[in-house]
Amino acid sequence: MSGSTDDFLRQMVKRNLKLVSYHRGVKKLDHAELQTMDVSALNARSSGFKGPAIVPLDVFNQMLQFKLIEEISAQSDASRSIFHLTEAGRVRGIKD
């Protein structure tokens, strides 16, 4: 697995982030985005997260392939899918 995948996993664990993949509507992206669990906090300077951070599709697909993330129900918007870490993803993200 690539180092960048591990970097994203570490960020997700450390900052309690989710992955959002847009697949319909106006915003068609070739990547996924890391976002805070509370979307209203995305631009909060106090959290040090100025998001959203871009996750390339190859990294996103690798996370899916190795079951490091899993899709949860979309939050009132059919144009995006939301992914959280699996237990395997969380364990890999806390490894040094």
Side-chain angles (χ1 to χ4, degrees):
M1 192 173 313
S2 74
S4 62
T5 299
D6 289 341
D7 291 341
F8 285 115
L9 290 172
R10 278 191 288 277
Q11 285 182 56
M12 289 180 76
V13 169
K14 182 178 179 182
R15 297 187 176 145
N16 192 28
L17 303 177
K18 65 184 174 188
L19 265 171
V20 178
S21 172
Y22 295 92
H23 46 80
R24 272 191 257 151
V26 177
K27 202 171 187 181
K28 292 204 181 250
L29 302 176
D30 60 351
H31 60 272
E33 296 176 348
L34 281 177
Q35 296 181 359
T36 59
M37 291 296 181
D38 177 8
V39 177
S40 65
L42 273 176
N43 295 312
R45 290 184 184 273
S46 62
S47 68
F49 184 73
K50 297 177 182 78
I54 303 303
V55 177
L57 267 187
D58 62 329
V59 172
F60 175 77
N61 289 332
Q62 194 174 51
M63 289 177 170
L64 280 174
Q65 177 185 358
F66 290 105
K67 299 182 185 334
L68 301 173
I69 57 173
E70 63 185 349
E71 185 174 3
I72 62 162
S73 300
Q75 297 176 353
S76 72
D77 185 350
S79 66
R80 65 184 177 169
S81 295
I82 299 170
F83 296 82
H84 287 186
L85 288 170
T86 61
E87 187 58 32
R90 186 169 309 287
V91 167
R92 185 154 186 107
I94 58 176
K95 285 184 180 180
D96 290 334

